[in-house]
Amino acid sequence: MSAYRIVALPGDGTGREVMAEALKVLDVFQVNGTVKFDIRVIPCGGQHYLETGEQWPEGSFEICRDESDAILLGAIGWPDARLPNGDVAGGEVILGLRSGLDLYANVRPVKLYDGVNHKVHGKYKKIWDSSLVDLVMVRENTEGLYHSLLRRMAQSAIGERDEKLVIEKFPGLEGEVRWDPRPISRMGSERIHRFCFDLAKRRSSKFGTPQSVTCVDKSNVLRGCQLFRKVFREVSNSYPDIGAKEAYIDAFTMWLVRDPEDLDVVVLPNMFGDIATDLASVLQGGMGMAASANLGDRHMMFEPVHGSSPKHAGMNRVNPIAMISSLQLMLENLAIRKSDPTLEFYGNVLQEAIAQHLASEGPKTYDIGGNGSTSEVGDAIAARVEGLLKEANV
Ligand code: IPM
Ligand code: MN
């Protein structure tokens, strides 16, 4: 059987350290299992830009587009690494791929594992039982407030010129004005809502309990959000077995923290999704635990929700679990896309290894109350994967 082609983009700062741990775990599957992975590592990001004057080597976008089955991304962003036009250096990688590969669903599971304390208040105080937090936030990933930035980055990734800056007059505003339009389309809304109802359907059969989709927007005041919600209602009609709920983003932030057990799949426009998923991470033990998948109809990219955390970089101390869980999402989604039961099994093995590790006395990083290092956590999870594979006799 031929190998799955994986592109690894470590990126900046701690992104490089957590990527090393994910590749360590992937290697255990490679060595002990039957499926082969052909892994290509491409340097990229803001630091790479400062060192070389380019965000990634020429041709990298094409490799991601034409020669990969899945992309793994560490983190992008470095202090003072800005393009001449003020955009974030490395944006061509993260945003160029999201837009250029049409990765319209940014899927961010929020799950509290046994053995991990939430961070809503107090340092590491546990009040909830882990079964109360198991939801999936889905951020629309190609339009909304990010639309023009995404387009600029995708154009630059495929070698087109930047869009010209549009100067407009805004009545009542004097002096210099910069603005970001926030377009939301029917097509973009329809595909993300369908994606969410299909996901809720899969979760219903997995958990044996009916799931719901909650549409979060600001349709009481904003036109784009009114279209987003209108299309949500239309799509929900074709899924009579899945609950359809609605919330405004302001009140939603309160409900998210107060009653997360009421939520299953949550769909949000781009910027609201960006903000609300960082907030949601406190329910699962912080950003060190938050994984994500960027999915389109043809391509997929997996990355931790956290950034490059420059102040921790090079210290072997950040939590690699968000990245390793992103690898888990890769195995799970690649299995679905390629109809490969072995990959599905690997996805379950990694899920189990992460859960067992977190419930154990094994090393944990400082952010979840331990004093272990990045690589010790990676080693411990890799060892559990190996053990589980041997137990299953593969
Ligand atoms: C995220 C990040 C990115 C975003 C940045 C790094 C461009 O915050 O993935 O949530 O704004 O989408
Ligand atoms: Mn973010």
Side-chain angles (χ1 to χ4, degrees), residues 117-127 282 285-286 367 369:
N117 298 338
H118 74 77
K119 292 187 156 180
V120 176
H121 65 78
K123 259 245 143 142
Y124 307 111
K125 299 209 182 69
K126 183 165 180 135
I127 1 173
V282 301
D367 57 309

Side-chain angles (χ1 to χ4, degrees), residues 108 139 146 274-275 277-278 287 305:
R108 299 182 160 183
R139 164 186 179 188
Y146 278 68
D274 178 47
I275 298 166
T277 50
D278 276 29
M287 295 294 274
V305 178

Side-chain angles (χ1 to χ4, degrees), residues 83-100:
L83 302 177
N85 69 359
D87 286 341
V88 55
E92 199 179 296
V93 181
I94 182 169
L95 300 167
L97 287 169
R98 285 179 185 172
S99 173

Side-chain angles (χ1 to χ4, degrees), residues 244-270:
K245 305 191 223 172
E246 300 171 348
Y248 298 135
I249 180 66
D250 45 358
F252 171 78
T253 56
M254 170 181 66
W255 292 328
L256 171 67
V257 177
R258 201 183 62 188
D259 314 307
E261 65 272 29
D262 291 347
L263 299 168
D264 296 321
V265 177
V266 178
V267 62
L268 312 97
N270 208 337

Side-chain angles (χ1 to χ4, degrees), residues 10 15 34 45 58 89 105 135 139 154 237 260 272 277 283 326 345 350 367 378:
T34 49
E58 209 176 322
L135 55 123
R139 164 186 179 188
N237 289 333
F272 294 160
T277 50
L283 302 171
S326 303
F345 168 70
L350 185 48
D367 57 309

Side-chain angles (χ1 to χ4, degrees), residues 7 9 40 42-44 55-68 71 91-103 150-160 299 301:
V7 173
L9 303 166
R40 203 152 160 180
I42 300 180
C44 60
Q55 299 175 68
W56 48 0
E58 209 176 322
S60 300
F61 174 79
E62 288 75 10
I63 292 173
C64 292
R65 186 188 58 196
D66 306 329
E67 296 168 36
S68 84
I71 303 160
E92 199 179 296
V93 181
I94 182 169
L95 300 167
L97 287 169
R98 285 179 185 172
S99 173
L101 300 184
D102 215 13
L103 307 173
L150 284 162
R151 294 284 302 179
R152 281 201 298 281
M153 291 303 184
Q155 283 181 340
S156 137
I158 58 175
E160 283 181 12
H299 302 278
M301 176 165 78

